[in-house]
């Protein structure tokens, strides 16, 4: 698997990443600084942002916060969520991202989502050129299906490179990645940095006690996590966490990190207090029995071949 390292000292990336989607939005500059400090105290070295986040404020705030220790950090951003994956659009967004972050080189650059309207050769050729020029160090893909990643791998082989890291959605209530994406990454030596290990906040347990947040305020998140079984899973996880004397958020993040494919979950939040239970997962010991107990709280997705009887038999 690709080992994501800091530059120039080659320190491995932290086991978790931190997503700064809230910086400049739900977290103002002062709150963002407190969050960043808490992450660094916990040992986080990998920070994730995107051109599209909070109208650019996320990148601007992160750029100011990393001054003075840039060489000890992995900074990731994304382009192409809007405007397509053509070379001209990606270059314009990339240049803007570098200016906001005050960086010549962005360690990891992701294509934010697959663009069926643009020839993938053009997209990958642009990424290859940026890596060759030293503008980026690792090539990433986000929100890609397994077949789309393998198409990129095939075309990348013609261009002399392969995908370094993938960013899929993955949590106890969003387990589709287990079917093909995580095994594919293991087979193809692609590092994995999954986002939303807390299921948009559902797995923190706050909604089981009448709390509010993105799931109650954002129609997109409500639709994504609105199924009744997901809320039942969240309630059962909270009950298990109570019995163990830990936060359900700690269990949720630790469980996502414990998958055999060794993913690096991207945690997030809008205050230092809110992210503390997620950061606590860095030191939480998840043994096999507890992993299996948590796994049983949600439905296992069907195998790609739909041979359900073989899954049940462990084949």
């Amino acid at each position: 698997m690709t080992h994501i390292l800091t530059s120039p000292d080659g320190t491995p990336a932290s086991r978790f990443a931190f997503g700064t989607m809230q910086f400049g939005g739900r977290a103002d500059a002062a709150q963002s600084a407190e969050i960043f400090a808490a992450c660094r105290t916990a040992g986080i070295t990998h920070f994730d942002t995107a051109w599209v986040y909070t109208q650019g404020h996320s990148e601007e705030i992160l750029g100011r916060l990393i001054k003075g220790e840039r060489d000890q950090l992995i900074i990731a951003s994304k382009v192409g969520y809007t405007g397509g994956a053509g070379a001209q659009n990606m270059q314009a967004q990339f240049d803007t991202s570098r200016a906001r972050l005050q960086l010549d080189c962005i360690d990891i650059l992701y294509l934010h989502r697959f663009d069926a309207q643009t020839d993938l050769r053009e997209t990958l050729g642009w990424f290859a050129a940026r890596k060759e020029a030293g503008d980026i160090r690792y090539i990433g893909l986000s929100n890609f299906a397994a077949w789309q990643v393998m198409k990129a791998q095939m075309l990348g082989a013609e261009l002399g490179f392969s995908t370094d890291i993938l960013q899929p959605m993955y949590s106890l209530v969003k387990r589709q990645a287990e079917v093909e994406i995580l095994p594919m990454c293991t087979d193809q030596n692609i590092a994995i940095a999954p986002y939303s290990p807390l299921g948009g906040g559902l797995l923190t347990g706050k909604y089981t006690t009448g709390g509010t947040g993105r799931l109650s305020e954002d129609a997109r998140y409500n639709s994504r996590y609105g199924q009744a079984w997901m809320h039942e899973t969240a309630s059962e996880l909270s009950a298990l966490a109570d019995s163990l004397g830990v936060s359900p958020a700690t269990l949720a993040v630790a469980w996502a990190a414990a998958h055999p494919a060794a993913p690096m979950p991207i945690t997030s939040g809008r205050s230092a207090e809110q992210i503390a239970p997620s950061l606590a997962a860095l030191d939480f010991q998840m043994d096999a029995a507890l992993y299996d107990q948590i796994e049983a709280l949600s439905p296992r997705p069907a195998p790609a071949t739909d041979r359900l009887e073989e899954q049940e038999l462990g084949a």
Side-chain angles (χ1 to χ4, degrees):
M1 184 169 292
T2 299
H3 295 288
I4 306 299
L5 307 174
T6 63
S7 178
D9 62 4
T11 301
S14 49
R15 287 181 53 239
F16 299 173
F18 186 81
T20 65
M21 188 177 185
Q22 309 277 15
F23 285 12
R26 291 172 179 262
D28 62 24
Q31 291 169 317
S32 299
E34 292 173 358
I35 292 168
F36 182 82
C39 287
R40 294 296 293 125
T41 298
I44 299 294
T45 61
H46 182 174
F47 292 87
D48 181 90
T49 185
W51 177 86
V52 76
Y53 289 168
T54 58
Q55 294 79 50
H57 300 306
S58 172
E59 290 181 322
E60 292 170 349
I61 292 172
L62 182 60
R64 293 194 293 269
L65 292 173
I66 64 177
K67 285 185 175 180
E69 53 180 335
R70 193 271 175 270
D71 289 345
Q72 289 75 52
L73 304 176
I74 297 287
I75 305 301
S77 195
K78 311 176 199 71
V79 296
Y81 190 83
T82 61
Q88 183 176 0
N89 182 61
M90 292 191 300
Q91 184 67 52
Q93 293 184 2
F94 179 60
D95 288 340
T96 301
S97 291
R98 287 197 294 181
R100 291 169 178 166
L101 289 164
Q102 303 178 57
L103 297 176
D104 293 324
C105 173
I106 296 177
D107 297 299
I108 303 171
L109 188 70
Y110 293 93
L111 175 59
H112 208 150
R113 62 179 175 181
F114 184 76
D115 175 14
Q117 306 306 312
T118 301
D119 187 339
L120 193 55
R121 287 180 178 82
E122 176 185 350
T123 302
L124 297 178
W126 181 84
F127 270 87
R130 298 287 62 74
K131 189 171 184 179
E132 177 68 22
D135 296 337
I136 62 176
R137 298 175 54 233
Y138 299 102
I139 295 173
L141 302 173
S142 179
N143 297 306
F144 270 49
W147 71 265
Q148 294 166 342
V149 175
M150 290 309 300
K151 182 176 181 179
Q153 290 291 83
M154 178 187 68
L155 296 175
E158 298 177 6
L159 297 168
F161 76 92
S162 61
T163 302
D164 296 309
I165 187 167
L166 187 69
Q167 192 173 120
M169 184 187 299
Y170 184 55
S171 72
L172 185 61
V173 291
K174 283 290 185 180
R175 296 177 56 182
Q176 189 62 33
E178 294 175 6
V179 178
E180 291 191 305
I181 289 176
L182 300 185
M184 173 201 65
C185 287
T186 299
D187 178 74
Q188 295 293 306
N189 297 316
I190 300 172
I192 312 158
Y195 66 91
S196 292
L198 294 179
L202 176 62
L203 298 175
T204 64
K206 66 181 179 180
Y207 295 99
T208 64
T209 57
T212 60
R214 284 186 294 179
L215 269 67
S216 58
E217 300 166 359
D218 187 315
R220 182 179 61 170
Y221 278 86
N222 182 266
S223 175
R224 184 180 297 172
Y225 299 107
Q227 296 182 54
W229 72 262
M230 294 179 174
H231 289 259
E232 292 169 7
T233 293
S235 295
E236 292 170 353
L237 182 69
S238 291
L240 176 60
D242 286 344
S243 72
L244 297 172
V246 299
S247 166
T250 301
L251 288 186
V253 176
W255 180 86
H259 188 278
M264 302 175 286
I266 302 174
T267 64
S268 191
R270 62 177 182 268
S271 69
E273 179 182 14
Q274 188 184 59
I275 68 170
S278 294
L279 294 179
L282 283 163
D283 299 316
F284 184 84
Q285 299 302 311
M286 175 73 65
D287 61 30
L290 181 56
Y291 181 89
D292 291 344
Q293 187 177 2
I294 295 172
E295 180 184 40
L297 299 180
S298 67
R300 180 185 300 179
T305 58
D306 258 339
R307 294 172 69 93
L308 296 175
E309 73 288 353
E310 293 185 2
Q311 177 172 273
E312 293 169 359
L313 293 172

